Coordinates of all heavy atoms in Angstrom, one line a residue:
I116 N 3.0 85.7 28.9 CA 2.5 84.9 30.2 C 1.0 84.5 30.0 O 0.2 85.3 29.4 CB 2.4 85.9 31.5 CG1 3.9 86.2 31.8 CG2 1.8 85.1 32.6 CD1 4.0 87.0 33.0
Q117 N 0.6 83.2 30.4 CA -0.6 82.9 30.2 C -1.1 82.3 31.6 O -0.3 81.8 32.4 CB -0.7 81.7 29.1 CG 0.1 80.6 29.4 CD 0.0 79.5 28.3 OE1 1.2 79.4 27.7 NE2 -1.0 78.9 27.9
Y118 N -2.4 82.3 31.8 CA -3.0 81.7 33.0 C -3.4 80.3 33.0 O -3.9 79.9 31.9 CB -4.2 82.5 33.4 CG -3.9 83.9 33.7 CD1 -4.0 85.0 32.8 CD2 -3.6 84.4 35.1 CE1 -3.6 86.3 33.1 CE2 -3.3 85.7 35.3 CZ -3.3 86.6 34.4 OH -3.1 87.8 34.7
G119 N -3.1 79.6 33.9 CA -3.4 78.2 34.0 C -4.9 78.1 34.4 O -5.5 78.9 35.0
S120 N -5.6 77.0 33.9 CA -7.0 76.7 34.2 C -6.9 75.7 35.3 O -6.8 74.5 35.1 CB -7.7 76.3 32.9 OG -9.0 75.9 33.3
D121 N -7.2 76.2 36.6 CA -7.1 75.3 37.7 C -8.3 75.3 38.6 O -8.3 75.2 39.8 CB -5.8 75.5 38.4 CG -5.7 76.9 38.9 OD1 -6.7 77.7 38.7 OD2 -4.8 77.3 39.6
G122 N -9.5 75.7 38.2 CA -10.7 75.7 38.9 C -10.8 77.0 39.8 O -11.4 76.9 40.8
G123 N -10.2 78.0 39.4 CA -10.5 79.3 40.0 C -9.3 79.9 40.6 O -9.1 81.1 40.7
K124 N -8.2 79.2 40.9 CA -7.0 79.7 41.4 C -6.0 79.9 40.2 O -5.7 79.0 39.5 CB -6.2 78.7 42.4 CG -5.0 79.2 43.0 CD -4.5 78.0 43.9 CE -3.2 78.5 44.4 NZ -2.5 77.3 45.1
Q125 N -5.7 81.1 40.0 CA -4.9 81.5 38.8 C -3.5 81.6 39.1 O -3.0 82.0 40.1 CB -5.3 83.0 38.1 CG -6.8 82.9 37.7 CD -7.1 84.1 37.0 OE1 -6.3 85.0 36.9 NE2 -8.2 84.1 36.3
M126 N -2.7 80.8 38.2 CA -1.3 80.7 38.4 C -0.6 81.2 37.1 O -1.0 80.8 35.9 CB -0.8 79.2 38.7 CG -1.5 78.6 39.9 SD -1.4 76.9 40.1 CE 0.5 76.7 40.2
L127 N 0.4 82.2 37.2 CA 1.0 82.6 35.9 C 2.0 81.6 35.5 O 2.8 81.0 36.2 CB 1.7 84.0 36.2 CG 0.8 85.1 36.7 CD1 1.5 86.3 37.0 CD2 -0.1 85.5 35.4
K128 N 2.0 81.4 34.1 CA 3.0 80.6 33.5 C 3.6 81.2 32.5 O 2.9 82.0 31.6 CB 2.2 79.2 33.0 CG 1.6 78.3 34.1 CD 2.7 77.7 34.7 CE 2.1 77.0 35.9 NZ 3.1 76.6 36.9
P129 N 5.0 81.3 32.3 CA 5.6 81.8 31.2 C 5.2 81.1 29.8 O 5.0 79.9 29.8 CB 7.1 81.6 31.4 CG 7.1 80.7 32.6 CD 5.9 80.6 33.2
K130 N 5.1 81.9 28.8 CA 4.7 81.3 27.5 C 5.8 80.2 27.0 O 5.4 79.3 26.2 CB 4.4 82.2 26.4 CG 3.1 83.0 26.6 CD 2.9 84.0 25.4 CE 1.4 84.6 25.7 NZ 1.1 85.5 24.6
D131 N 7.0 80.5 27.3 CA 8.0 79.6 26.7 C 8.4 78.6 27.7 O 9.4 78.0 27.6 CB 9.2 80.4 26.5 CG 9.8 81.1 27.7 OD1 9.1 81.1 28.8 OD2 10.9 81.8 27.6
A132 N 7.3 78.0 28.5 CA 7.7 76.9 29.4 C 8.0 75.8 28.6 O 8.7 74.9 29.3 CB 6.4 76.7 30.3
G133 N 7.6 75.7 27.6 CA 8.0 74.4 26.6 C 7.1 73.2 26.8 O 7.3 72.2 26.2
K134 N 6.4 73.3 27.9 CA 5.4 72.2 28.2 C 4.0 72.4 27.9 O 3.5 73.6 28.0 CB 5.5 71.7 29.6 CG 6.9 71.3 30.1 CD 6.7 71.0 31.6 CE 8.1 70.7 32.2 NZ 7.9 70.5 33.7
L135 N 3.2 71.6 27.4 CA 1.9 71.7 27.3 C 1.2 71.4 28.6 O 1.5 70.4 29.3 CB 1.2 70.9 26.1 CG 1.8 71.1 24.8 CD1 1.1 70.1 23.8 CD2 1.3 72.5 24.2
Q136 N 0.2 72.3 29.0 CA -0.7 72.0 30.2 C -1.5 70.9 30.1 O -2.2 70.7 29.2 CB -1.4 73.3 30.5 CG -2.1 73.2 31.7 CD -2.9 74.4 32.1 OE1 -2.8 75.5 31.4 NE2 -3.7 74.4 33.1
P137 N -1.3 69.9 31.0 CA -2.1 68.8 31.0 C -3.5 69.1 31.6 O -3.7 70.0 32.2 CB -1.4 67.8 31.9 CG -0.6 68.6 32.9 CD -0.3 69.9 32.0
A138 N -4.6 68.3 31.1 CA -5.8 68.6 31.7 C -5.9 68.3 33.1 O -5.1 67.4 33.7 CB -6.8 67.7 30.9
N139 N -6.6 69.1 33.8 CA -6.6 68.8 35.3 C -7.4 67.6 35.5 O -8.6 67.2 35.2 CB -7.6 70.1 35.9 CG -7.6 69.9 37.4 OD1 -7.3 68.8 38.0 ND2 -7.8 71.1 38.0
P140 N -6.7 66.6 36.3 CA -7.1 65.3 36.5 C -8.2 65.2 37.6 O -8.9 64.3 37.8 CB -6.0 64.4 36.8 CG -5.1 65.4 37.5 CD -5.4 66.7 36.8
G141 N -8.3 66.4 38.4 CA -9.2 66.2 39.5 C -8.6 65.4 40.6 O -7.5 64.9 40.6
D142 N -9.4 65.3 41.7 CA -8.9 64.3 42.9 C -9.4 62.9 42.6 O -10.3 62.5 43.4 CB -9.6 65.0 44.0 CG -9.1 64.5 45.4 OD1 -8.2 63.7 45.3 OD2 -9.8 64.6 46.4
R143 N -8.9 62.4 41.6 CA -9.2 60.9 41.3 C -8.3 59.9 41.8 O -8.8 58.8 41.8 CB -9.4 60.8 39.7 CG -10.3 61.7 39.2 CD -10.4 61.5 37.7 NE -11.4 62.4 37.1 CZ -11.5 62.7 35.8 NH1 -10.6 62.1 34.9 NH2 -12.5 63.6 35.4
R144 N -7.0 60.3 42.1 CA -6.1 59.2 42.6 C -5.8 59.5 44.0 O -5.9 60.5 44.6 CB -4.8 59.3 41.8 CG -5.2 59.3 40.3 CD -4.8 58.3 39.4 NE -3.9 57.0 39.7 CZ -3.0 56.6 39.1 NH1 -2.4 57.2 38.1 NH2 -2.3 55.5 39.5
K145 N -5.4 58.4 44.7 CA -5.1 58.4 46.0 C -3.8 57.6 46.2 O -3.5 56.8 45.2 CB -6.2 58.0 47.1 CG -6.6 56.5 46.8 CD -7.8 56.4 47.6 CE -8.4 55.0 47.5 NZ -9.2 54.8 46.2
C146 N -3.1 57.5 47.2 CA -1.9 56.8 47.5 C -2.0 55.3 47.3 O -1.2 54.6 46.7 CB -1.3 57.2 48.8 SG -0.6 58.8 49.0
A147 N -3.3 54.8 47.7 CA -3.4 53.5 47.3 C -3.5 53.0 45.9 O -3.4 51.8 45.6 CB -4.8 52.8 48.1
D148 N -3.6 53.9 45.1 CA -3.6 53.6 43.6 C -2.2 53.4 43.0 O -2.1 53.0 41.8 CB -4.3 54.7 42.8 CG -5.7 54.9 43.2 OD1 -6.3 53.9 43.5 OD2 -6.2 56.1 43.2
F149 N -1.1 53.6 43.8 CA 0.2 53.7 43.3 C 0.9 52.4 44.1 O 0.7 52.2 45.2 CB 1.0 54.9 43.5 CG 0.4 56.1 42.9 CD1 -0.4 56.9 43.6 CD2 0.5 56.3 41.6 CE1 -1.1 58.1 43.1 CE2 -0.1 57.4 40.9 CZ -0.8 58.3 41.7
D150 N 1.8 51.7 43.2 CA 2.4 50.7 43.9 C 3.7 51.0 44.6 O 4.2 50.5 45.5 CB 2.9 49.5 42.8 CG 1.7 48.8 42.3 OD1 0.7 48.6 43.1 OD2 1.7 48.5 41.1
T151 N 4.3 52.2 44.1 CA 5.7 52.6 44.6 C 5.6 54.3 44.7 O 4.9 54.8 44.2 CB 6.9 52.3 43.7 OG1 6.7 53.0 42.5 CG2 7.0 50.9 43.5
F152 N 6.5 54.6 45.6 CA 6.7 56.0 45.8 C 7.0 56.8 44.5 O 6.5 57.9 44.2 CB 7.8 56.3 46.8 CG 8.3 57.7 46.9 CD1 7.6 58.8 47.3 CD2 9.5 58.0 46.2 CE1 7.9 60.0 47.3 CE2 10.0 59.3 46.2 CZ 9.3 60.3 46.8
E153 N 7.9 56.2 43.8 CA 8.2 56.8 42.5 C 7.2 57.1 41.5 O 7.1 58.0 40.8 CB 9.3 56.1 41.8 CG 10.7 56.1 42.5 CD 10.8 55.3 43.7 OE1 9.9 54.4 44.0 OE2 11.8 55.4 44.4
E154 N 6.2 56.1 41.5 CA 5.0 56.3 40.6 C 4.1 57.3 41.1 O 3.6 58.3 40.3 CB 4.0 55.0 40.7 CG 4.7 53.9 39.9 CD 3.8 52.6 40.2 OE1 2.7 52.7 40.5 OE2 4.3 51.5 39.7
S155 N 3.9 57.6 42.5 CA 3.2 58.7 43.0 C 3.9 60.0 42.7 O 3.3 61.0 42.4 CB 2.7 58.5 44.5 OG 4.0 58.6 45.3
L156 N 5.2 60.0 42.8 CA 6.0 61.3 42.6 C 5.9 61.7 41.1 O 5.7 62.9 40.9 CB 7.4 60.9 43.0 CG 8.4 62.2 42.8 CD1 7.9 63.3 43.8 CD2 9.8 61.8 43.2
R157 N 5.9 60.7 40.2 CA 5.7 61.3 38.8 C 4.4 61.8 38.4 O 4.3 62.9 37.9 CB 5.9 59.9 37.9 CG 7.4 59.6 37.5 CD 7.5 58.6 36.3 NE 6.9 57.3 36.7 CZ 7.4 56.3 37.3 NH1 8.5 56.6 37.9 NH2 6.7 55.3 37.5
Y158 N 3.4 61.2 39.1 CA 2.1 61.8 39.0 C 1.9 63.2 39.6 O 1.5 64.2 39.2 CB 1.0 60.9 39.7 CG -0.4 61.2 39.4 CD1 -1.0 61.0 38.3 CD2 -1.0 62.1 40.6 CE1 -2.4 61.3 38.2 CE2 -2.4 62.4 40.3 CZ -3.1 62.1 39.1 OH -4.4 62.5 39.0
Y159 N 2.4 63.3 40.9 CA 2.5 64.6 41.7 C 3.2 65.6 40.9 O 2.8 66.7 40.7 CB 3.3 64.3 43.0 CG 3.4 65.4 43.9 CD1 2.3 65.9 44.7 CD2 4.6 66.1 43.9 CE1 2.5 67.0 45.5 CE2 4.7 67.1 44.9 CZ 3.8 67.6 45.6 OH 3.9 68.6 46.6
E160 N 4.4 65.3 40.3 CA 5.2 66.3 39.7 C 4.6 66.7 38.3 O 4.7 67.9 37.9 CB 6.7 65.8 39.4 CG 7.4 65.7 40.7 CD 8.8 65.1 40.4 OE1 9.1 64.4 39.5 OE2 9.6 65.5 41.4
K161 N 3.8 65.8 37.7 CA 3.3 66.1 36.3 C 2.2 67.3 36.5 O 2.1 68.1 35.7 CB 2.6 64.8 35.8 CG 1.9 65.1 34.4 CD 1.2 63.8 33.9 CE 0.6 64.1 32.6 NZ 0.1 62.8 32.0
Y162 N 1.4 67.3 37.6 CA 0.2 68.0 37.8 C 0.6 69.2 38.7 O -0.1 70.3 38.7 CB -1.0 67.5 38.3 CG -1.4 66.5 37.1 CD1 -1.2 65.0 37.4 CD2 -2.0 66.9 36.0 CE1 -1.7 64.1 36.4 CE2 -2.4 65.9 35.1 CZ -2.3 64.6 35.3 OH -2.6 63.7 34.3
Y163 N 1.6 69.2 39.7 CA 1.8 70.2 40.7 C 2.1 71.4 40.1 O 1.6 72.5 40.5 CB 3.0 69.7 41.6 CG 3.1 70.8 42.8 CD1 2.4 70.5 43.8 CD2 4.0 71.8 42.6 CE1 2.4 71.4 45.0 CE2 4.1 72.7 43.7 CZ 3.2 72.5 44.9 OH 3.3 73.4 45.9
E164 N 2.9 71.5 39.0 CA 3.4 72.8 38.4 C 2.0 73.6 37.9 O 2.0 74.9 38.0 CB 4.2 72.5 37.2 CG 4.5 73.7 36.4 CD 5.5 73.4 35.2 OE1 5.7 72.3 35.0 OE2 5.7 74.4 34.5
W165 N 1.1 72.9 37.6 CA -0.1 73.6 37.0 C -1.3 73.8 38.0 O -2.0 74.7 38.1 CB -0.7 72.7 35.8 CG 0.3 72.7 34.8 CD1 1.2 71.6 34.5 CD2 0.8 73.7 33.8 NE1 2.1 71.9 33.4 CE2 1.7 73.1 33.0 CE3 0.3 75.0 33.5 CZ2 2.3 73.8 32.0 CZ3 0.9 75.7 32.5 CH2 1.9 75.0 31.7
Y166 N -1.5 72.7 39.0 CA -2.8 72.7 39.7 C -2.5 72.5 41.2 O -3.2 72.5 41.9 CB -3.6 71.5 39.3 CG -4.0 71.5 37.8 CD1 -3.4 70.7 36.9 CD2 -4.7 72.5 37.2 CE1 -3.7 70.7 35.6 CE2 -5.1 72.6 35.9 CZ -4.4 71.6 35.1 OH -4.8 71.7 33.8
G167 N -1.2 72.5 41.6 CA -0.8 72.2 42.9 C -1.0 70.8 43.2 O -1.1 69.9 42.2
D168 N -1.1 70.4 44.4 CA -1.3 69.0 44.9 C -2.8 68.6 44.6 O -3.5 68.4 45.6 CB -1.0 68.8 46.3 CG -1.0 67.3 46.7 OD1 -1.1 66.5 45.8 OD2 -0.8 67.0 47.9
V169 N -3.2 68.5 43.3 CA -4.6 68.2 43.0 C -5.2 67.1 43.6 O -6.4 67.0 43.9 CB -4.7 68.3 41.5 CG1 -4.2 67.1 40.7 CG2 -6.2 68.5 41.1
A170 N -4.4 66.0 43.8 CA -5.1 64.7 44.3 C -4.8 64.7 45.8 O -5.0 63.7 46.5 CB -4.4 63.4 43.6
R171 N -4.1 65.7 46.5 CA -3.8 65.6 47.9 C -3.0 64.4 48.4 O -3.3 63.7 49.2 CB -5.0 65.8 48.7 CG -5.8 67.2 48.5 CD -7.0 67.3 49.3 NE -8.1 67.6 48.3 CZ -9.2 67.1 48.3 NH1 -9.6 66.3 49.1 NH2 -10.2 67.5 47.3
L172 N -1.9 64.2 47.5 CA -1.0 63.0 47.8 C 0.0 63.4 48.8 O 0.5 62.6 49.5 CB -0.4 62.6 46.7 CG -1.2 62.1 45.4 CD1 -0.2 61.7 44.1 CD2 -2.1 61.0 45.9
D173 N 0.2 64.7 49.1 CA 1.0 65.1 50.0 C 0.4 65.7 51.3 O 0.1 66.9 51.4 CB 2.1 66.2 49.5 CG 3.1 66.7 50.3 OD1 3.3 66.2 51.4 OD2 3.6 67.9 50.1
R174 N -0.1 64.9 52.1 CA -0.8 65.3 53.2 C -0.4 66.2 54.2 O -0.9 67.1 54.8 CB -1.6 64.1 53.9 CG -2.4 63.2 53.1 CD -3.7 63.9 52.8 NE -4.6 63.0 52.1 CZ -5.8 63.3 51.8 NH1 -6.3 64.2 52.3 NH2 -6.5 62.4 51.1
D175 N 1.0 66.1 54.4 CA 1.7 67.0 55.4 C 2.4 68.1 54.9 O 3.0 68.9 55.5 CB 2.6 66.0 56.3 CG 3.7 65.3 55.5 OD1 3.8 65.6 54.3 OD2 4.6 64.7 56.1
G176 N 2.2 68.3 53.5 CA 2.8 69.5 52.8 C 4.3 69.6 52.8 O 4.9 70.7 52.7
D177 N 5.1 68.5 52.9 CA 6.5 68.6 53.0 C 7.1 68.5 51.6 O 8.4 68.3 51.3 CB 7.1 67.5 53.9 CG 6.9 66.1 53.4 OD1 6.2 65.7 52.5 OD2 7.4 65.2 54.2
G178 N 6.2 68.2 50.4 CA 6.7 67.9 49.2 C 7.1 66.6 48.8 O 7.5 66.4 47.8
V179 N 6.8 65.7 49.7 CA 6.9 64.2 49.5 C 5.5 63.5 49.4 O 4.9 63.3 50.3 CB 7.8 63.6 50.6 CG1 7.9 62.1 50.3 CG2 9.1 64.1 50.7
P180 N 5.1 63.2 48.2 CA 3.8 62.5 48.1 C 3.8 61.1 48.5 O 4.9 60.3 48.1 CB 3.4 62.7 46.7 CG 4.8 62.7 45.9 CD 5.6 63.4 47.0
C181 N 2.9 60.7 49.1 CA 2.8 59.1 49.6 C 4.0 58.6 50.2 O 4.5 57.4 49.7 CB 2.3 58.3 48.4 SG 0.7 58.9 47.5
S182 N 4.5 59.2 51.2 CA 5.8 58.9 51.8 C 5.8 57.4 52.4 O 6.8 56.9 52.7 CB 6.2 60.0 52.7 OG 5.3 60.0 53.7
G183 N 4.6 57.0 52.7 CA 4.5 55.6 53.2 C 4.7 54.5 52.2 O 4.8 53.3 52.6
L184 N 4.7 54.8 50.9 CA 4.8 53.8 49.9 C 6.3 53.3 49.8 O 7.2 54.1 50.1 CB 4.5 54.3 48.5 CG 2.9 54.5 48.2 CD1 2.6 55.2 47.0 CD2 2.2 53.2 48.3
P185 N 6.5 52.0 49.4 CA 7.9 51.6 49.3 C 8.6 52.1 48.1 O 7.8 52.6 47.1 CB 7.6 50.0 49.2 CG 6.3 49.8 48.5 CD 5.5 51.0 49.1
H186 N 9.9 52.0 47.9 CA 10.5 52.5 46.7 C 10.5 51.3 45.8 O 10.2 50.2 46.1 CB 12.0 52.7 47.1 CG 12.3 54.1 47.6 ND1 12.3 55.2 47.0 CD2 12.6 54.4 48.9 CE1 12.5 56.2 47.8 NE2 12.8 55.7 49.0
T187 N 10.9 51.8 44.5 CA 10.8 50.8 43.4 C 12.0 50.0 43.7 O 13.1 50.3 44.2 CB 10.8 51.5 42.1 OG1 10.9 50.6 41.1 CG2 12.0 52.4 41.9
T188 N 12.0 48.8 43.1 CA 13.2 47.9 43.1 C 14.1 48.2 41.8 O 15.2 47.6 41.7 CB 13.0 46.4 43.2 OG1 12.0 46.1 42.1 CG2 12.4 46.1 44.4
N189 N 13.6 48.9 40.8 CA 14.3 49.2 39.6 C 15.1 50.5 40.0 O 14.6 51.6 40.1 CB 13.2 49.5 38.5 CG 13.9 49.9 37.2 OD1 15.2 50.3 37.2 ND2 13.3 49.9 36.2
M190 N 16.4 50.4 40.0 CA 17.2 51.3 40.4 C 17.4 52.5 39.3 O 17.7 53.7 39.8 CB 18.7 50.8 40.6 CG 18.9 50.0 41.9 SD 18.1 50.7 43.4 CE 19.1 51.9 43.8
E191 N 16.9 52.2 38.2 CA 17.0 53.3 37.1 C 15.8 54.4 37.4 O 15.9 55.5 36.8 CB 16.8 52.8 35.7 CG 18.0 52.0 35.2 CD 17.7 51.4 33.9 OE1 16.8 51.8 33.2 OE2 18.8 50.5 33.5
K192 N 14.9 53.9 38.1 CA 13.7 54.8 38.5 C 13.8 55.3 39.9 O 12.8 56.1 40.3 CB 12.3 54.0 38.2 CG 12.2 53.7 36.7 CD 10.8 53.0 36.5 CE 10.6 52.7 35.0 NZ 9.3 52.0 34.8
Y193 N 14.6 54.9 40.6 CA 14.8 55.2 42.1 C 14.9 56.7 42.4 O 15.6 57.4 41.6 CB 15.9 54.5 42.7 CG 16.0 54.8 44.1 CD1 15.4 54.0 45.2 CD2 16.8 55.8 44.7 CE1 15.6 54.3 46.5 CE2 16.9 56.1 45.9 CZ 16.3 55.3 47.0 OH 16.4 55.6 48.3
R194 N 14.2 57.3 43.2 CA 14.2 58.6 43.6 C 14.3 58.7 45.1 O 13.4 58.1 45.7 CB 12.9 59.5 43.2 CG 12.8 59.4 41.6 CD 13.5 60.5 40.8 NE 13.2 61.8 41.2 CZ 12.1 62.6 40.8 NH1 11.3 62.1 39.8 NH2 12.1 63.8 41.2
M195 N 14.9 59.7 45.6 CA 14.9 59.8 47.0 C 13.7 60.5 47.6 O 13.0 61.2 46.9 CB 16.2 60.8 47.5 CG 17.5 60.2 47.3 SD 17.9 59.0 48.6 CE 18.0 59.9 49.9
K196 N 13.3 60.1 48.8 CA 12.1 60.8 49.4 C 12.7 62.1 50.2 O 12.9 62.0 51.4 CB 11.4 59.9 50.3 CG 10.7 58.6 49.8 CD 10.1 57.8 50.8 CE 9.4 56.7 50.1 NZ 8.8 55.6 51.1
K197 N 12.7 63.1 49.5 CA 13.6 64.3 50.0 C 12.5 65.5 50.1 O 11.9 66.0 49.1 CB 14.7 64.7 49.0 CG 15.4 65.9 49.6 CD 16.6 66.2 48.7 CE 17.1 67.6 49.0 NZ 18.1 68.1 48.2
P198 N 12.1 65.9 51.3 CA 11.2 67.0 51.5 C 11.9 68.2 50.8 O 13.0 68.4 50.8 CB 11.2 67.2 53.1 CG 11.6 65.8 53.6 CD 12.5 65.3 52.6
I199 N 11.0 68.9 50.3 CA 11.3 70.3 49.7 C 10.7 71.5 50.5 O 9.6 71.3 51.2 CB 11.0 70.6 48.2 CG1 9.4 70.3 48.0 CG2 11.7 69.5 47.3 CD1 9.1 70.5 46.6
T200 N 11.3 72.6 50.5 CA 10.8 73.8 51.3 C 9.8 74.5 50.4 O 9.9 74.3 49.2 CB 11.9 74.7 51.8 OG1 12.6 75.2 50.4 CG2 13.0 73.8 52.7
K201 N 9.1 75.4 50.9 CA 8.2 76.1 50.1 C 8.9 77.1 49.1 O 8.4 77.3 47.9 CB 7.2 77.0 51.0 CG 6.2 76.0 51.7 CD 5.0 76.9 52.2 CE 4.2 75.9 52.9 NZ 2.9 76.1 52.5
Q202 N 10.1 77.5 49.4 CA 11.0 78.3 48.6 C 11.4 77.5 47.3 O 11.4 78.1 46.2 CB 12.1 78.9 49.2 CG 11.9 79.9 50.2 CD 12.0 79.3 51.7 OE1 12.2 78.2 51.9 NE2 11.6 80.1 52.7
Q203 N 11.5 76.2 47.3 CA 11.9 75.4 46.3 C 10.7 75.1 45.4 O 10.9 74.7 44.1 CB 12.5 74.0 46.7 CG 13.9 74.3 47.4 CD 14.3 73.0 48.0 OE1 13.6 72.2 48.8 NE2 15.6 72.7 47.8
R204 N 9.4 75.2 45.8 CA 8.3 74.8 45.0 C 7.9 76.0 44.0 O 8.3 77.1 44.3 CB 7.0 74.8 45.8 CG 7.2 73.4 46.8 CD 5.9 73.3 47.6 NE 6.1 72.1 48.4 CZ 5.2 71.6 49.3 NH1 3.9 72.2 49.1 NH2 5.3 70.5 49.9
P205 N 7.3 75.6 42.9 CA 6.8 76.7 42.0 C 5.8 77.5 42.8 O 5.3 77.1 43.6 CB 6.1 75.9 40.9 CG 6.7 74.6 41.0 CD 7.0 74.3 42.5
S206 N 6.0 78.9 42.5 CA 5.1 79.7 43.2 C 3.6 79.2 43.1 O 3.1 78.8 41.9 CB 5.2 81.1 42.6 OG 4.8 81.1 41.2
E207 N 2.8 79.5 44.1 CA 1.5 79.0 44.1 C 0.6 80.2 44.1 O 0.7 81.2 44.6 CB 1.2 78.3 45.4 CG 2.0 76.9 45.5 CD 1.6 76.1 46.7 OE1 0.6 76.5 47.4 OE2 2.5 75.2 46.9

């Protein structure tokens, strides 16, 4: 087990996670920086595992970042805006 570097909040990560921890991007992006919901979701999912909602894209805490953004028209990238419960999220 190794500890994530997230500005003071320690999160345990299994060594065999298979993913390299990305650098903490900080609170640099906001919903207005994304054109579609799917773009914001990819960003949210990339960093959530390590740092939580670092950019505060999920203001109401339902697991759906930037829910007011439109969906992509590219059906290969389409993702449902499906809220998740706290039990489904990685431990915080």
Side-chain angles (χ1 to χ4, degrees):
I116 296 179
Q117 65 189 112
Y118 291 93
S120 170
D121 60 359
K124 181 177 170 190
Q125 295 189 352
M126 300 167 67
L127 294 175
K128 296 287 170 197
K130 283 186 178 180
D131 62 349
K134 296 181 189 177
L135 294 176
Q136 180 176 352
N139 187 335
D142 187 11
R143 296 183 186 161
R144 309 249 352 232
K145 56 187 183 286
C146 290
D148 295 328
F149 302 100
D150 292 326
T151 65
F152 163 73
E153 287 77 11
E154 289 176 10
S155 69
L156 183 60
R157 276 192 302 279
Y158 184 87
Y159 177 84
E160 289 176 339
K161 179 178 180 177
Y162 297 106
Y163 187 86
E164 176 181 357
W165 302 99
Y166 308 108
D168 187 9
V169 70
R171 292 181 235 135
L172 300 177
D173 178 19
R174 296 286 181 172
D175 60 3
D177 67 353
V179 179
C181 305
S182 58
L184 288 175
H186 279 287
T187 182
T188 55
N189 180 342
M190 293 310 290
E191 292 177 11
K192 295 182 179 181
Y193 181 89
R194 301 271 304 273
M195 290 288 293
K196 293 181 184 178
K197 182 179 175 188
I199 60 173
T200 64
K201 290 200 181 228
Q202 289 100 3
Q203 292 172 311
R204 292 186 185 185
S206 61
E207 296 183 14

